[in-house]
Amino acid sequence: MRAFPSVPGQGVVSPVGLPLPHESAHLHVTGQATYVDDLAEVSGTLHVALGWSPVAHGRLLGIDRDRLMAQAGVVAVMTAADIPGANQCGPIVPDDPILAAGTVQYLGQPVFAVVATDRRLALRAAAIAADVIRVEPLPAVLTARQAYELGEAVVPPMLLRRGDAAAAIAAAPHRLSGTQIIGGQEQFYLEGQISYALPQEDRGLKVHCSTQHPSEMQHLVAHALGLGSNQVQVECRRMGGGFGGKESQSALFACVAALAAQRLGKPVKLRVDRDDDFMITGRRHPFEVDWEVGFDDQGQLLGARALFISNAGCSADLSAPVMTRALCHFDNAYYLPEVDLQGFCARTNTQSNTAFRGFGGPQGALVMEAILDDVARHLGLDPLRVRRANLYSRTPQDGRNTTPYGQVVEDNILPDLIDELVRSSGYEQRRSDIATFNRASPVVKRGLALTPVKFGISFNLAHLNQAGALVHIYTDGTVLVNHGGTEMGQGLNTKVAQVVAQELGVALHRVRVTATDTHKVANTSATAASTGSDLNGKAAQDAARTLAQRLVQHWAQREGVDPQRVRLTDDGLLIAHKRLSFEEAVAGAYVGRVQLWSDGFYATPGLHWDRNTMTGKPFYYFAYGAAVSEVLLDTLTGESRVVGTDILHDVGASLNPALDIGQIEGGFIQGMGWMTMEELWWHPQSGRLMTHAPSTYKIPCANDIPPRWRVELFGRPNGADSIHRSKAVGEPPLLLSFSVLMALRDAVSACAPDTRPATQIRLAVPATPESVLHALQDVRTAHTPKP
């Protein structure tokens, strides 16, 4: 990292709040940043590949182990029977086998692991899985709606209710109902799933794992092998992306690599290729949502009911908290007086779906945005006017600032933020210009939409909102930091280093953040739910603050001055009118036998949640934002293009504006891909995922970035006592992409004759050209005069 900046005559500038580069940027661009597969392989390293089920559901009769052992380079074949401990994973419900036993639950489920002297030989041996696995096919359930009708769920159904929504809807002046189809999304991290397990003395294991949750990997490996957690060390220096896909689902790969390493006494690496990664792991939950609302002449909602059916896949994984967050974000930015929400996590014979950026929140909030869009069209109003009419109030006296689950919205800055975005984006004029354009253009249509975001920050489960850190000061004045968060490209380590440097009053180049390691900080939570900087920044600040206080107390006592006259600043120690360099201050403290390392801890205050009544305060605060997007639509082909986006997003008092803007940009584009092009498709008979590689699954590329794109931060400090009054930025920006879908709906609606009543827009996600053409056909059919 480059030296920390300074201002002539003013010393070192405060690091927090500066747009500093990512701490590993120079390593990334020079190819020196090491990921798990870049680690030098120990002599004798073996390689594992997985053989997976060729059917979606079946009774497992056995495998031809002898044929597998006869393959070139194969040294071992392992099945569920070879696991000495528990053959179960699962972050909440232990219902997900490491290797299939008894039955297979989806096409792609690992049945055996083959170990070979070379990765290519292991893959070649595993490729004959369909020929060596003996399985009796059973009927498969492949869609969430089918599972719902059969009552097949991975967890009990959920209910979030306030008031009498049915009565409110029945009494409302206007009513609408519909179904929103929301597809899943592949995480498509650049670095695939990988684990490298090395045997240690006395049955110990060290596992290098690309994971967002090293502590969970440690626990599950120990559980599978019948070891104590203190015998398993999991380390993660960095990941090449995670997006939730490496929160729980890295467990299978860590456990299999560790099993092979323990059985054979050799280092073992398991790196799956992209096709196998797609076929084995889950992704963002697809949802089908049946909804019904009642509203008045201004579009203000009076009652809302919805049935959320998610495709959980074959096991529970994180489906329960994903559904909880979806239900808790159905309101998005809007007050709902009467609500009746039901959540059903459907069990299907497909990959077990898991965490993905937003963790159910985007699916819930998207439905509300589509509803308000339809309400506005039904009333002939601008959708922005209807959105504003339904926003949470900033006046507690009117009672419109409490969420359906009982949390008070205390710091609602959305009205001001939206007003500023309307002005800066020229929304009103563009709305008028687009209407003029569409009247004169029979084939190509333009669409415009502004959508807001209110996103709750914290883990759903209160006890997960804790973090620990270690900070060491060496006698040469350098600082080493270790914390429980994982770095996946988002800049967490950079922000933590800035926080520590600020607390110690030193130049940032002194501070180094090391790999996440379960032997250093124990019992950590996953780096997820946008809590990485909030939790680990506070924990590191706590440790650094303790060290700063020790240094100040030591020198105050030594110099015989009031501690108030001693402070760490400008890369040194100021004692009254005397200044020591930081090296001198530390060296003197060491001679004085001052402890120069400290642990730190943080637990988010004030959180509580009753999962039975689905009420409480699950979120420490809310992050806000809004986006205006404009699209161009070819109504003959269904092809579309985002031509402009203006974003104004709330990150509180930013720790690092450069990193935060990068996260906003990345989140928006990832969400735009989900909204428009990232389509998952399973064969309706076999249950095989057909979109399982870059050749068939398309993510946004550089050419898809809006040619006119403006991203700005709404710089208002967080009302809650977060780290330096900043706000989380990982997940909320993804929801800004809703503006693209709503703009497409706007363009589709322009195909309806002005002389006829507006229709509801039935546009599924992703809004591929095919999906858009279906929506256009619906609009044209609805407006075709009956003979």
PDB file of all heavy atoms in Angstrom, residues 39-47 117 196-199 264-269:
ATOM      1  N   LEU A  39      -1.498 -20.912  -4.196  1.00  0.00           N
ATOM      2  CA  LEU A  39      -0.574 -21.361  -3.163  1.00  0.00           C
ATOM      3  C   LEU A  39       0.318 -22.470  -3.715  1.00  0.00           C
ATOM      4  O   LEU A  39      -0.145 -23.359  -4.436  1.00  0.00           O
ATOM      5  CB  LEU A  39      -1.347 -21.887  -1.944  1.00  0.00           C
ATOM      6  CG  LEU A  39      -2.253 -20.867  -1.233  1.00  0.00           C
ATOM      7  CD1 LEU A  39      -3.068 -21.567  -0.152  1.00  0.00           C
ATOM      8  CD2 LEU A  39      -1.414 -19.746  -0.632  1.00  0.00           C
ATOM      9  N   ALA A  40       1.588 -22.395  -3.375  1.00  0.00           N
ATOM     10  CA  ALA A  40       2.517 -23.435  -3.828  1.00  0.00           C
ATOM     11  C   ALA A  40       2.081 -24.791  -3.284  1.00  0.00           C
ATOM     12  O   ALA A  40       1.842 -24.936  -2.076  1.00  0.00           O
ATOM     13  CB  ALA A  40       3.933 -23.111  -3.365  1.00  0.00           C
ATOM     14  N   GLU A  41       1.942 -25.763  -4.165  1.00  0.00           N
ATOM     15  CA  GLU A  41       1.484 -27.078  -3.732  1.00  0.00           C
ATOM     16  C   GLU A  41       2.605 -27.845  -3.048  1.00  0.00           C
ATOM     17  O   GLU A  41       3.736 -27.901  -3.529  1.00  0.00           O
ATOM     18  CB  GLU A  41       0.956 -27.876  -4.927  1.00  0.00           C
ATOM     19  CG  GLU A  41      -0.328 -27.303  -5.510  1.00  0.00           C
ATOM     20  CD  GLU A  41      -0.880 -28.139  -6.648  1.00  0.00           C
ATOM     21  OE1 GLU A  41      -0.291 -29.206  -6.944  1.00  0.00           O
ATOM     22  OE2 GLU A  41      -1.895 -27.744  -7.249  1.00  0.00           O
ATOM     23  N   VAL A  42       2.254 -28.414  -1.906  1.00  0.00           N
ATOM     24  CA  VAL A  42       3.202 -29.245  -1.161  1.00  0.00           C
ATOM     25  C   VAL A  42       3.482 -30.504  -1.959  1.00  0.00           C
ATOM     26  O   VAL A  42       2.605 -31.037  -2.648  1.00  0.00           O
ATOM     27  CB  VAL A  42       2.622 -29.593   0.229  1.00  0.00           C
ATOM     28  CG1 VAL A  42       3.554 -30.518   0.996  1.00  0.00           C
ATOM     29  CG2 VAL A  42       2.360 -28.316   1.009  1.00  0.00           C
ATOM     30  N   SER A  43       4.712 -30.984  -1.890  1.00  0.00           N
ATOM     31  CA  SER A  43       5.084 -32.214  -2.600  1.00  0.00           C
ATOM     32  C   SER A  43       4.146 -33.350  -2.217  1.00  0.00           C
ATOM     33  O   SER A  43       3.833 -33.556  -1.044  1.00  0.00           O
ATOM     34  CB  SER A  43       6.522 -32.592  -2.239  1.00  0.00           C
ATOM     35  OG  SER A  43       6.881 -33.810  -2.855  1.00  0.00           O
ATOM     36  N   GLY A  44       3.662 -34.064  -3.209  1.00  0.00           N
ATOM     37  CA  GLY A  44       2.763 -35.186  -2.960  1.00  0.00           C
ATOM     38  C   GLY A  44       1.301 -34.814  -2.925  1.00  0.00           C
ATOM     39  O   GLY A  44       0.450 -35.659  -2.609  1.00  0.00           O
ATOM     40  N   THR A  45       0.980 -33.555  -3.279  1.00  0.00           N
ATOM     41  CA  THR A  45      -0.422 -33.129  -3.263  1.00  0.00           C
ATOM     42  C   THR A  45      -1.262 -33.965  -4.232  1.00  0.00           C
ATOM     43  O   THR A  45      -0.873 -34.185  -5.386  1.00  0.00           O
ATOM     44  CB  THR A  45      -0.532 -31.646  -3.642  1.00  0.00           C
ATOM     45  OG1 THR A  45       0.059 -30.854  -2.610  1.00  0.00           O
ATOM     46  CG2 THR A  45      -1.987 -31.222  -3.807  1.00  0.00           C
ATOM     47  N   LEU A  46      -2.404 -34.419  -3.737  1.00  0.00           N
ATOM     48  CA  LEU A  46      -3.362 -35.164  -4.549  1.00  0.00           C
ATOM     49  C   LEU A  46      -4.544 -34.264  -4.893  1.00  0.00           C
ATOM     50  O   LEU A  46      -4.732 -33.200  -4.286  1.00  0.00           O
ATOM     51  CB  LEU A  46      -3.848 -36.399  -3.784  1.00  0.00           C
ATOM     52  CG  LEU A  46      -2.765 -37.393  -3.366  1.00  0.00           C
ATOM     53  CD1 LEU A  46      -3.348 -38.484  -2.477  1.00  0.00           C
ATOM     54  CD2 LEU A  46      -2.090 -38.009  -4.595  1.00  0.00           C
ATOM     55  N   HIS A  47      -5.331 -34.710  -5.852  1.00  0.00           N
ATOM     56  CA  HIS A  47      -6.446 -33.900  -6.331  1.00  0.00           C
ATOM     57  C   HIS A  47      -7.742 -34.695  -6.333  1.00  0.00           C
ATOM     58  O   HIS A  47      -7.743 -35.889  -6.625  1.00  0.00           O
ATOM     59  CB  HIS A  47      -6.145 -33.376  -7.740  1.00  0.00           C
ATOM     60  CG  HIS A  47      -4.969 -32.446  -7.777  1.00  0.00           C
ATOM     61  ND1 HIS A  47      -5.096 -31.075  -7.725  1.00  0.00           N
ATOM     62  CD2 HIS A  47      -3.629 -32.705  -7.825  1.00  0.00           C
ATOM     63  CE1 HIS A  47      -3.892 -30.527  -7.743  1.00  0.00           C
ATOM     64  NE2 HIS A  47      -2.979 -31.492  -7.807  1.00  0.00           N
ATOM     65  N   THR A 117      -3.644 -38.568  -8.723  1.00  0.00           N
ATOM     66  CA  THR A 117      -2.351 -37.888  -8.632  1.00  0.00           C
ATOM     67  C   THR A 117      -2.336 -36.579  -9.409  1.00  0.00           C
ATOM     68  O   THR A 117      -1.443 -35.756  -9.199  1.00  0.00           O
ATOM     69  CB  THR A 117      -1.253 -38.799  -9.181  1.00  0.00           C
ATOM     70  OG1 THR A 117      -1.603 -39.213 -10.521  1.00  0.00           O
ATOM     71  CG2 THR A 117      -1.089 -40.051  -8.305  1.00  0.00           C
ATOM     72  N   TYR A 196      -8.096 -26.527  -0.089  1.00  0.00           N
ATOM     73  CA  TYR A 196      -6.805 -27.221  -0.097  1.00  0.00           C
ATOM     74  C   TYR A 196      -6.513 -27.615   1.342  1.00  0.00           C
ATOM     75  O   TYR A 196      -6.305 -26.750   2.195  1.00  0.00           O
ATOM     76  CB  TYR A 196      -5.729 -26.297  -0.656  1.00  0.00           C
ATOM     77  CG  TYR A 196      -4.360 -26.916  -0.853  1.00  0.00           C
ATOM     78  CD1 TYR A 196      -4.184 -28.287  -1.014  1.00  0.00           C
ATOM     79  CD2 TYR A 196      -3.215 -26.107  -0.882  1.00  0.00           C
ATOM     80  CE1 TYR A 196      -2.927 -28.841  -1.213  1.00  0.00           C
ATOM     81  CE2 TYR A 196      -1.954 -26.653  -1.078  1.00  0.00           C
ATOM     82  CZ  TYR A 196      -1.814 -28.018  -1.245  1.00  0.00           C
ATOM     83  OH  TYR A 196      -0.569 -28.561  -1.436  1.00  0.00           O
ATOM     84  N   ALA A 197      -6.546 -28.925   1.605  1.00  0.00           N
ATOM     85  CA  ALA A 197      -6.404 -29.432   2.966  1.00  0.00           C
ATOM     86  C   ALA A 197      -5.033 -30.060   3.164  1.00  0.00           C
ATOM     87  O   ALA A 197      -4.585 -30.877   2.340  1.00  0.00           O
ATOM     88  CB  ALA A 197      -7.489 -30.464   3.255  1.00  0.00           C
ATOM     89  N   LEU A 198      -4.364 -29.679   4.252  1.00  0.00           N
ATOM     90  CA  LEU A 198      -3.028 -30.197   4.562  1.00  0.00           C
ATOM     91  C   LEU A 198      -3.022 -30.841   5.949  1.00  0.00           C
ATOM     92  O   LEU A 198      -3.349 -30.167   6.936  1.00  0.00           O
ATOM     93  CB  LEU A 198      -1.988 -29.075   4.526  1.00  0.00           C
ATOM     94  CG  LEU A 198      -1.808 -28.361   3.187  1.00  0.00           C
ATOM     95  CD1 LEU A 198      -2.685 -27.117   3.139  1.00  0.00           C
ATOM     96  CD2 LEU A 198      -0.359 -27.985   2.959  1.00  0.00           C
ATOM     97  N   PRO A 199      -2.677 -32.121   6.042  1.00  0.00           N
ATOM     98  CA  PRO A 199      -2.604 -32.768   7.354  1.00  0.00           C
ATOM     99  C   PRO A 199      -1.538 -32.106   8.227  1.00  0.00           C
ATOM    100  O   PRO A 199      -0.485 -31.700   7.753  1.00  0.00           O
ATOM    101  CB  PRO A 199      -2.218 -34.217   7.012  1.00  0.00           C
ATOM    102  CG  PRO A 199      -2.551 -34.385   5.567  1.00  0.00           C
ATOM    103  CD  PRO A 199      -2.360 -33.047   4.946  1.00  0.00           C
ATOM    104  N   LEU A 264      -5.816 -40.241   3.675  1.00  0.00           N
ATOM    105  CA  LEU A 264      -4.613 -40.609   2.919  1.00  0.00           C
ATOM    106  C   LEU A 264      -3.334 -40.043   3.513  1.00  0.00           C
ATOM    107  O   LEU A 264      -2.231 -40.434   3.095  1.00  0.00           O
ATOM    108  CB  LEU A 264      -4.762 -40.148   1.464  1.00  0.00           C
ATOM    109  CG  LEU A 264      -5.985 -40.715   0.717  1.00  0.00           C
ATOM    110  CD1 LEU A 264      -6.117 -40.083  -0.651  1.00  0.00           C
ATOM    111  CD2 LEU A 264      -5.900 -42.234   0.603  1.00  0.00           C
ATOM    112  N   GLY A 265      -3.471 -39.103   4.470  1.00  0.00           N
ATOM    113  CA  GLY A 265      -2.278 -38.513   5.061  1.00  0.00           C
ATOM    114  C   GLY A 265      -1.487 -37.684   4.077  1.00  0.00           C
ATOM    115  O   GLY A 265      -0.265 -37.532   4.211  1.00  0.00           O
ATOM    116  N   LYS A 266      -2.158 -37.133   3.089  1.00  0.00           N
ATOM    117  CA  LYS A 266      -1.514 -36.348   2.032  1.00  0.00           C
ATOM    118  C   LYS A 266      -2.245 -35.016   1.856  1.00  0.00           C
ATOM    119  O   LYS A 266      -3.458 -34.925   2.111  1.00  0.00           O
ATOM    120  CB  LYS A 266      -1.573 -37.100   0.699  1.00  0.00           C
ATOM    121  CG  LYS A 266      -0.809 -38.410   0.674  1.00  0.00           C
ATOM    122  CD  LYS A 266       0.655 -38.179   0.397  1.00  0.00           C
ATOM    123  CE  LYS A 266       1.379 -39.502   0.133  1.00  0.00           C
ATOM    124  NZ  LYS A 266       2.813 -39.276  -0.170  1.00  0.00           N
ATOM    125  N   PRO A 267      -1.562 -33.979   1.396  1.00  0.00           N
ATOM    126  CA  PRO A 267      -2.262 -32.742   1.033  1.00  0.00           C
ATOM    127  C   PRO A 267      -3.218 -33.016  -0.128  1.00  0.00           C
ATOM    128  O   PRO A 267      -2.858 -33.743  -1.073  1.00  0.00           O
ATOM    129  CB  PRO A 267      -1.147 -31.789   0.608  1.00  0.00           C
ATOM    130  CG  PRO A 267       0.103 -32.385   1.159  1.00  0.00           C
ATOM    131  CD  PRO A 267      -0.103 -33.858   1.187  1.00  0.00           C
ATOM    132  N   VAL A 268      -4.407 -32.461  -0.064  1.00  0.00           N
ATOM    133  CA  VAL A 268      -5.430 -32.717  -1.087  1.00  0.00           C
ATOM    134  C   VAL A 268      -6.102 -31.406  -1.480  1.00  0.00           C
ATOM    135  O   VAL A 268      -6.523 -30.633  -0.615  1.00  0.00           O
ATOM    136  CB  VAL A 268      -6.491 -33.717  -0.579  1.00  0.00           C
ATOM    137  CG1 VAL A 268      -7.614 -33.859  -1.611  1.00  0.00           C
ATOM    138  CG2 VAL A 268      -5.861 -35.074  -0.298  1.00  0.00           C
ATOM    139  N   LYS A 269      -6.228 -31.191  -2.784  1.00  0.00           N
ATOM    140  CA  LYS A 269      -6.890 -29.995  -3.304  1.00  0.00           C
ATOM    141  C   LYS A 269      -8.131 -30.401  -4.079  1.00  0.00           C
ATOM    142  O   LYS A 269      -8.114 -31.364  -4.844  1.00  0.00           O
ATOM    143  CB  LYS A 269      -5.941 -29.210  -4.213  1.00  0.00           C
ATOM    144  CG  LYS A 269      -6.552 -27.925  -4.784  1.00  0.00           C
ATOM    145  CD  LYS A 269      -5.636 -27.238  -5.780  1.00  0.00           C
ATOM    146  CE  LYS A 269      -4.465 -26.573  -5.110  1.00  0.00           C
ATOM    147  NZ  LYS A 269      -3.668 -25.760  -6.087  1.00  0.00           N
TER     148      LYS A 269
END
